[in-house]
Amino acid sequence: MMGKLKVYADRMSQPSRAVLIFCRFNGIDFEEIKVDISKRHHLSPEFAEVNPLQKLPAIVHGSFNLSESHAILVYLASAFPGIADHWYPSDIFRRAKINSVMDWHHSNLRHGAGPATGRSLNPKAAAEAEKVLLSSLSKLEDIWLNGDGSFLLGGSQPSIADLSMVCELMQLEVLDEKDRSRILSPYKKVLQWIEDTRTATNPHFEEVHNILYRAKKKFEQQRSRVAETGTELSNKMGGHSKM
């Protein structure tokens, strides 16, 4: 007996959300343990015993500890019975392609999407991140979504790569609607893919993302106050984009 799975997560963290949605959608029995990045709980000695890298998400399954969201998703898809094959296919060629997309994600899309939400915190860094993000969206549109199916690599159902990357792009919800539209609207395939992945994993997708929607309203209110008073916008999103 491995014992009940424990998932250490902050729902404001993109990769944390991907792991939580995967667990909920696939009926995995687990305990969600909140680690609040904004309060620096991930830097506590207690959490360092779970993950010495002190980043989220992390899991404990019996005596087994694991960090890094892609590794966690691979483990969950492989270790628990009854997980549909489309999430992480048994076919080695298909599996290798999914691995390649997830590796690409880390050095491209993730490198751009997270920092791009910190515009008011560091405008120069945000502008550089946006260049990476736009380049990544273009490649996502023209290469990874260039297939017959609705999902990455032409899949007819989502894989762990779809879930991870869509959760990444959902972080753009916190941007001003004009900025979000300016960034995403040219990429019609990407927008449709986001909606298809949302639909395929609901109601869990919406439930796990509720915290992000609440943050979006908070930032909208702050932006309104800035427009009225000219005070500086407080943006703490950068602190949540942790692996």
Side-chain angles (χ1 to χ4, degrees), residues 218-231:
K218 175 183 175 182
F219 285 121
E220 286 174 347
Q221 292 169 353
Q222 287 184 345
R223 282 189 284 264
S224 295
R225 287 197 295 270
V226 168
E228 292 172 1
T229 66
T231 57

Side-chain angles (χ1 to χ4, degrees), residues 1 5 23 31 43 60 90 96 105 108 133 168 185 195:
M1 287 288 290
L5 176 72
C23 288
E31 177 185 0
L43 301 179
V60 174
S90 55
H105 171 204
N108 293 274
L133 174 58
E168 188 73 57
S185 61
E195 289 308 306

